[in-house]
Amino acid sequence: MDLVPALEEPLKQPLKSVLGPATAKVMAEHLGLHTVGDLLHHYPRRYEERGQLTHLADLPMDEHVTVVAQVADARLHSFASAKAPRGKGQRLEVTITDGSGRLQLVFFGNGVHKPHKELLPGTRAMFAGKVSVFNRRLQLAHPAYELLKGDSEEAVETWAGTLIPIYPATAKLESWKIGKAVQTVLPTAQEAVDPLPASLREGRGLVTLPDALLKIHRPHTKADIADARSRLKWDEAFVLQVALARRRHADTQLPAVPRTARPDGILTAFDDRLPFTLTDGQKKVSAEIFTDLATDHPMHRLLQGEVGSGKTLVALRAMLAVVDAGGQAAMLAPTEVLAQQHHRSVTEMMGELAEGGMLGGAEHGTKVVLLTGSMGAAARRQALLDLVTGEAGIVIGTHALIEDKVQFHDLGLVVVDEQHRFGVEQRDALRGKGKQPPHLLVMTATPIPRTVAMTVFGDLETSVLDQLPAGRSPIATHVVPAADKPHFLARAWERVREEVAGGHQAYVVCPRIGDDTDEADDPKKARKSPEDEAEKRPPLAVLDIAEQLGRGPLQGLRVEVLHGRMHPDDKDAVMRRFAAGETDVLVATTVIEVGVNVPNATAMVIMDADRFGVSQLHQLRGRVGRGSAPGLCLLVSEMPEASAARQRLNAVASTLDGFELSRIDLEQRREGDVLGQAQSGVRSSLRVLAVIEDEEVIAEAREEAAALVAADPELERLPGLRTALDALLDEEREQYLEKG
């Protein structure tokens, strides 16, 4: 809804600007606001109440207050500081009185000039700010103020009772300047074209769009804000769900080759050699996938499941069904470590069935090839040849699969692992390699709450694996408060030694690698929380910790390191040694987060655990407890007990339910962080809609959208909705939805 036709006027024009040219330029460059419509849809983040008028005699500490008082005294002082070493710093101290008491106001730096001119002794004004204490005296630092002329009681009451919108701002453009700009264009809101069908709006008692825009930017009461937000949430949810419903509708019109497994083919042979029985969940999800593969339009399915719920096995059975039907299957993994791991586990599970065409290979076998960027030229040439001739039925690879020179004989299924790590263009390029659109199975081990799935993956059917296979062990998780109780950390290293003495292995995870150039393996991973900012210590690093442990608490154990900037061959060699039990302790960054499967690893110590998100900690923890021995995960943190960071860690320690944790994660961090880059198109359209809080709105909007698109796929009867869709699906988002 960024643009509506009457509101398409640019804020900055060569001849005349709606706003001042400098303001319009900053809005475009720093806030992405280019038109009047963009600005009207830049909603306040919150509202300040200037509050009831307070007497100076009874000011509460740490609260926002508004007082009416008279200036008794104003003095300008100079001082020296780091920023103004030659005594050029300026501080303006103003004393005000209302007859009941006195209060000091203080202004610093460039902020002193205006009040120095205006707040002369005898001047009467209203002051709003937060009460603090300095030198045992109450003060307001940099208060907002309004001079009172004419001294009407009414003016005082009106000003104090106003709700002040606080806008998402930038260092170059303060919230109050954005507010003034919004007030300039607010009359245009009357011309906004309403995207909601009148019957839907009236049936749900929602205000019109022009009304909602007026009420969100200039509310008289809190009820106005609630009315506006209810309406604008519906806009976002409904327009997005219509886009996704049209996408699903379009998919049903595309042709695809149906792929059905033969009763005596490679899938049957594979099932016969499995040393265990599938869980009920795996059987149910496999049946859903096989039904989709047998249809003549492309499958679009999201397979999500807990860490260790057996997604890879389900995906492999789907790939084998496609091979049975004469097609090829490709699995796209986000990292070389993970691609190699998948290749190893798939060939191990298949045994002789993965040796099709080779001496000693099974009758129903097929070749399983690996394709990554760091392969030698000869191996790469052979892999490419096996794909184009159809000799290889299954290929597992990284983004190297997407390159132009990679050609398939008959690509029938694309499996994307860890969906959120891939850009839309990469998935689309791989899907474009089929003669007809191949079927698509997207896997994620980050459990996604139902509403997020409906909002972001709304064009995919969803299957959930929530049962763990038999033989998986429980994982005990504890928080280790290293600053409050250092002996707990010493005990953690003793526990690691005990696990190793019992014939097991351990991981130690750190947020960064450890030379000066890196902030983390992935800068987004070492997310700075306010607590991090407060304690300036850089995150702990793999190289430093490995050295300290080797010399100290883990002396005598075989300790190795693994991180993202190692050469792929070195990474693979380290992982092979660890998997073979030749290493006791692996000190790593989050490269081990997904897919790494070493059943003998039973313990994990996560250093600076507060630097990771909830879902990421859950992912990491899933690397232990993969065998028959119970798993142990220790979350080490120096954060104080009362901090939000510690509460996050306590949440992780209290439950193994990934879906519950992903809800907590979303509530704390908002969906953008969690969902990653592939969703940028959708994310940037969510302004008032919060996918966890607004579950009901999203579910109802999805039903309404599905019914509407079924009746009128082209939206011929709803020009306002078409306009809103065009605005939502600007070029980038159009591609996002096109490519799914």
Side-chain angles (χ1 to χ4, degrees):
M1 269 95 18
D2 298 353
L3 312 169
V4 277
L7 310 187
E8 281 178 13
E9 191 176 353
L11 294 170
K12 181 172 183 280
Q13 298 176 45
L15 300 174
K16 69 173 183 64
S17 289
V18 175
L19 309 170
T23 305
K25 184 169 186 270
V26 173
M27 282 191 171
E29 288 175 5
H30 294 273
L31 293 169
L33 307 177
H34 302 279
T35 66
V36 171
D38 288 346
L39 182 52
L40 285 175
H41 286 294
H42 187 72
Y43 308 132
R45 176 180 286 140
R46 59 190 170 85
Y47 300 84
E48 284 288 0
E49 292 179 81
R50 288 198 171 105
Q52 305 313 303
L53 299 177
T54 314
H55 288 295
L56 293 185
D58 36 69
L59 285 175
M61 269 298 297
D62 281 340
E63 280 190 27
H64 284 277
V65 297
T66 302
V67 296
V68 175
Q70 189 165 328
V71 177
D73 182 29
R75 295 179 187 207
L76 192 59
H77 302 274
S78 296
F79 61 91
S81 71
K83 287 185 179 173
R86 289 197 290 278
K88 293 194 174 172
Q90 291 193 304
R91 180 175 77 246
L92 175 66
E93 291 176 2
V94 178
T95 308
I96 59 172
T97 175
D98 66 350
S100 75
R102 294 166 83 81
L103 177 67
Q104 184 145 338
L105 316 178
V106 61
F107 301 87
F108 292 100
N110 296 333
V112 304
H113 305 307
K114 185 167 177 273
H116 190 217
K117 280 197 221 121
E118 294 182 339
L119 298 178
L120 304 171
T123 306
R124 206 150 179 273
M126 254 179 304
F127 303 91
K130 191 174 182 181
V131 182
S132 57
V133 171
F134 181 71
N135 277 349
R136 288 186 287 188
R137 288 198 309 188
L138 293 182
Q139 71 167 25
L140 297 182
H142 284 284
Y145 64 87
E146 184 99 332
L147 302 177
L148 293 174
K149 302 181 178 72
D151 201 16
S152 80
E153 282 303 312
E154 195 179 334
V156 172
E157 289 303 324
T158 311
W159 193 82
T162 312
L163 288 161
I164 312 162
I166 306 295
Y167 289 90
T170 153
K172 302 238 187 262
L173 198 63
E174 299 91 339
S175 168
W176 62 268
K177 285 186 183 164
I178 296 170
K180 280 191 171 167
V182 169
Q183 296 305 326
T184 308
V185 302
L186 200 51
T188 325
Q190 294 302 340
E191 299 172 52
V193 179
D194 205 320
L196 291 190
S199 56
L200 189 158
R201 194 183 72 239
E202 288 156 13
R204 294 184 177 275
L206 299 170
V207 299
T208 63
L209 180 57
D211 250 11
L213 292 171
L214 286 171
K215 285 181 171 182
I216 198 125
H217 291 296
R218 197 188 282 161
H220 296 299
T221 62
K222 288 184 178 173
D224 282 353
I225 300 169
D227 284 352
R229 288 180 69 82
S230 299
R231 164 58 216 248
L232 295 166
K233 281 180 179 189
W234 254 94
D235 277 20
E236 287 186 2
F238 183 67
V239 175
L240 181 57
Q241 291 300 339
V242 167
L244 293 167
R246 293 184 75 204
R247 176 85 183 76
R248 287 195 303 275
H249 182 268
D251 279 341
T252 61
Q253 314 302 308
L254 284 176
V257 179
R259 311 279 180 173
T260 312
R262 298 200 313 274
D264 57 346
I266 190 170
L267 177 60
T268 306
F270 174 75
D271 284 350
D272 288 345
R273 57 171 285 130
L274 278 179
F276 50 82
T277 54
L278 299 176
T279 65
D280 291 345
Q282 287 172 323
K283 287 176 189 163
K284 175 174 153 285
V285 169
S286 288
E288 290 170 351
I289 292 170
F290 292 151
T291 304
D292 283 358
L293 289 174
T295 58
D296 54 9
H297 56 83
M299 166 172 82
H300 276 90
R301 190 166 280 280
L302 172 68
L303 170 58
Q304 55 167 326
E306 281 290 8
V307 177
S309 58
K311 290 180 301 298
T312 309
L313 176 61
V314 169
L316 176 55
R317 294 184 74 240
M319 293 196 284
L320 294 175
V322 169
V323 172
D324 262 349
Q328 291 169 293
M331 181 185 261
L332 186 59
T335 64
E336 295 210 351
V337 166
L338 194 50
Q340 287 161 341
Q341 182 88 26
H342 275 317
H343 182 255
R344 208 160 33 240
S345 60
V346 164
T347 49
E348 279 167 14
M349 279 197 275
M350 287 176 64
E352 60 184 15
L353 295 174
E355 296 164 5
M358 302 183 204
L359 283 174
E363 176 199 349
H364 293 300
T366 187
K367 242 186 187 180
V368 179
V369 299
L370 176 68
L371 190 63
T372 65
S374 64
M375 283 169 74
R380 188 180 177 77
R381 260 199 313 276
Q382 185 60 53
L384 292 173
L385 186 64
D386 289 342
L387 286 179
V388 77
T389 58
E391 185 85 7
I394 294 176
V395 58
I396 295 166
T398 55
H399 49 80
L401 278 175
I402 294 163
E403 292 167 12
D404 289 344
K405 60 178 87 133
V406 180
Q407 300 296 325
F408 288 84
H409 177 66
D410 179 14
L411 180 61
L413 171 66
V414 174
V415 178
V416 179
D417 191 25
E418 286 307 310
Q419 147 87 6
H420 60 284
R421 304 275 188 97
F422 283 100
V424 171
E425 294 74 17
Q426 293 167 308
R427 297 200 308 275
D428 187 51
L430 188 51
R431 280 173 58 191
K433 292 182 180 291
K435 297 188 175 79
Q436 283 193 321
H439 299 282
L440 175 70
L441 180 65
V442 169
M443 298 199 297
T444 176
T446 306
I448 302 170
R450 174 173 158 267
T451 40
V452 183
M454 282 196 302
T455 309
V456 180
F457 301 104
D459 57 335
L460 299 175
E461 297 300 323
T462 304
S463 294
V464 177
L465 277 174
D466 48 14
Q467 257 181 308
L468 289 185
R472 277 297 164 91
S473 303
I475 305 169
T477 309
H478 304 284
V479 178
V480 178
D484 315 347
K485 299 178 179 169
H487 60 287
F488 275 38
L489 183 57
R491 176 72 187 117
W493 301 125
E494 282 175 24
R495 284 291 292 111
V496 169
R497 293 193 82 98
E498 286 164 15
E499 290 297 313
V500 172
H504 297 297
Q505 293 160 279
Y507 298 100
V508 177
V509 181
C510 302
R512 68 187 188 111
I513 298 170
D515 49 39
D516 295 338
T517 56
D518 76 308
E519 178 50 38
D521 228 13
D522 172 350
K524 294 191 186 83
K525 293 289 165 58
R527 199 163 270 108
K528 287 267 197 297
S529 70
E531 294 102 328
D532 294 344
E533 292 295 350
E535 58 114 61
K536 293 291 185 195
R537 173 174 73 65
L540 294 172
V542 165
L543 301 177
D544 305 340
I545 291 291
E547 190 186 342
Q548 288 167 24
L549 292 175
R551 286 202 320 259
L554 302 186
Q555 196 169 6
L557 301 187
R558 297 168 299 177
V559 177
E560 286 210 63
V561 299
L562 179 71
H563 58 74
R565 286 216 305 273
M566 289 165 66
H567 187 278
D569 290 348
D570 296 340
K571 278 193 285 198
D572 195 43
V574 168
M575 273 315 303
R576 279 179 186 278
R577 284 196 293 275
F578 189 65
E582 294 163 19
T583 306
D584 299 319
V585 179
L586 187 62
V587 184
T589 57
T590 54
V591 291
I592 62 154
E593 180 185 353
V594 287
V596 173
N597 184 18
V598 180
N600 192 46
T602 52
M604 176 177 285
V605 181
I606 303 179
M607 307 302 293
D608 276 348
D610 46 272
R611 312 257 177 162
F612 300 97
V614 169
S615 293
Q616 197 176 20
L617 290 170
H618 182 59
Q619 279 277 17
L620 287 165
R621 167 171 66 182
R623 302 300 110 215
V624 295
R626 299 178 78 86
S628 53
L632 172 69
C633 179
L634 301 174
L635 307 173
V636 179
S637 171
E638 293 183 3
M639 284 295 140
E641 193 161 357
S643 64
R646 276 284 287 279
Q647 286 162 12
R648 275 206 314 274
L649 299 183
N650 292 340
V652 175
S654 68
T655 178
L656 290 171
D657 182 340
F659 287 92
E660 181 54 37
L661 288 174
S662 66
R663 288 181 68 92
I664 293 168
D665 208 3
L666 274 171
E667 281 161 0
Q668 290 183 338
R669 288 182 19 199
R670 286 304 297 253
E671 37 280 356
D673 290 340
V674 179
L675 299 174
Q677 59 159 1
Q679 281 67 252
S680 62
V682 172
R683 183 171 80 228
S684 51
S685 68
L686 298 187
R687 294 202 175 82
V688 285
L689 193 71
V691 293
I692 288 291
E693 289 163 37
D694 301 317
E695 284 189 274
E696 284 178 27
V697 175
I698 292 165
E700 289 170 19
R702 185 177 168 95
E703 277 178 33
E704 294 270 10
L708 186 140
V709 169
D712 180 10
E714 295 305 312
L715 311 179
E716 284 162 2
R717 299 191 288 281
L718 294 165
L721 179 56
R722 278 215 67 114
T723 304
L725 264 183
D726 292 342
L728 172 74
L729 308 180
D730 57 27
E731 196 173 335
E732 175 201 356
R733 298 181 198 161
E734 181 75 61
Q735 288 178 349
Y736 161 75
L737 285 169
E738 276 302 306
K739 296 171 183 176

